[in-house]
Amino acid sequence: MAISAGPRIARGVLMLVVLFSCALALPVGAQQQQPEDPEDEKQIGLWLDQGLSTGLSPNKSLEIEFHERFDEQFSNFFEYFVQGGLAFRLKPWFTLIPIYRYQRFPSNPSIAYENRLQLNLTFSTSRGPWRPILRTLIEGRFPDNRPASARLRFRPGVEYTLPLRMTRRPVLVLNNEFFIVPGNNPFANGGSSFTQSRFQVGVRLPVAGSFSIRPYYMLQSVNLPEGWDTNEIVGISLALKIRNNNK
């Protein structure tokens, strides 16, 4: 009896192991089916940015931005968003901006829109023609059909005013932004909290005292399950400042 029970026990243990393995495989399969982050580029892209700033007081302003993004060699209009916030210049070297963003993805079959709450912390100082800048964004992301998540974005950079004999001298802008998801990430990634980086170089051209154009080139690298994917982006940024002489 003891000898005949041994194979039955072994078969039972084997069945339990198989069932347990299948149970473990189910969450893994579901995780692999997570969609990519809808803001990720595909092939070469075109980004159009428009920013409007109006002064409310000597150390406070209203900031509104509009953004349109095309990918797949400029042929696919895949994302646009509008955001607004109040900028508080608490120190000459420190600006704080709470922001609300509404974002839509017209060509994405799984996600239609996303709400975001952001806190922009910008530290900057001037050293002659050089201006080092560190921008930190703390984001709360709320997609329409995915769990909410948090993300940190660190963008160290520098601006250099070109030594040209011009009334309004161009400014070279260079920065690199790093994206960190500290907790749950509802989008597919390569298994690391470091999900994305954006290296950007451009030149800000002052057209008038309150209006400037900044063409730029960007390399966007995204951490996907199959590995890092890098795409090229060409962008044009317009910035308009409205001065309130009554303040």
Side-chain angles (χ1 to χ4, degrees):
M1 294 297 293
I3 297 176
S4 61
R8 288 199 298 269
I9 294 175
R11 286 195 296 269
V13 172
L14 180 60
M15 291 180 63
L16 289 175
V17 170
V18 171
L19 291 174
F20 185 69
S21 300
C22 292
L24 289 179
L26 288 176
V28 174
Q31 184 178 11
Q32 290 176 348
Q33 293 176 359
Q34 288 180 331
E36 295 181 21
D37 195 320
E39 71 177 7
D40 295 343
E41 265 305 329
K42 296 299 177 186
Q43 302 177 24
I44 187 169
L46 172 65
W47 289 9
L48 304 176
D49 316 314
Q50 306 90 44
L52 175 64
S53 175
T54 178
L56 303 177
S57 69
N59 60 355
K60 185 169 61 177
S61 62
L62 175 64
E63 307 290 328
I64 300 175
E65 297 180 11
F66 303 89
H67 299 259
E68 303 83 33
R69 294 179 176 176
F70 301 80
D71 67 355
E72 298 178 1
Q73 299 178 353
F74 311 160
S75 63
N76 180 40
F77 182 38
F78 80 103
E79 177 185 356
Y80 64 92
F81 61 89
V82 58
Q83 67 181 43
L86 288 176
F88 299 91
R89 292 164 182 84
L90 304 180
K91 297 289 183 179
W93 45 266
F94 176 51
T95 302
L96 182 147
I97 314 175
I99 301 169
Y100 167 73
R101 174 190 290 189
Y102 179 71
Q103 198 158 347
R104 292 199 68 91
F105 308 97
S107 62
N108 193 302
S110 60
I111 297 178
Y113 65 89
E114 180 178 330
N115 293 287
R116 289 193 195 180
L117 297 178
Q118 299 177 321
L119 185 62
N120 181 331
L121 309 173
T122 299
F123 301 86
S124 64
T125 184
S126 295
R127 293 290 184 269
W130 297 93
R131 186 168 178 254
I133 302 174
L134 173 61
R135 190 194 75 171
T136 300
L137 271 183
I138 305 172
E139 289 188 322
R141 303 183 62 184
F142 305 91
D144 63 335
N145 62 354
R146 307 296 299 178
S149 62
R151 186 167 68 177
L152 303 175
R153 299 167 56 171
F154 304 99
R155 192 179 74 180
V158 65
E159 296 184 356
Y160 175 67
T161 302
L162 299 177
L164 302 177
R165 296 181 179 273
M166 302 173 61
T167 303
R168 300 185 179 93
R169 292 180 290 177
V171 178
L172 177 66
V173 180
L174 179 68
N175 56 64
N176 199 358
E177 189 168 20
F178 305 92
F179 293 65
I180 306 295
V181 179
N184 174 62
N185 187 355
F187 301 106
N189 64 86
S192 170
S193 59
F194 178 31
T195 61
Q196 188 179 156
S197 70
R198 295 176 181 174
F199 172 78
Q200 180 183 153
V201 58
V203 178
R204 185 168 64 244
L205 305 170
V207 178
S210 58
F211 178 66
S212 64
I213 299 175
R214 180 173 60 89
Y216 61 88
Y217 173 77
M218 178 187 294
L219 290 176
Q220 181 195 53
S221 299
V222 183
N223 189 5
L224 299 177
E226 59 273 15
W228 284 89
D229 181 39
T230 300
N231 295 284
E232 298 177 276
I233 297 165
V234 176
I236 300 176
S237 180
L238 308 178
L240 175 64
K241 294 184 178 180
I242 300 177
R243 298 176 180 175
N244 192 338
N245 296 326
N246 295 328
K247 299 295 182 179

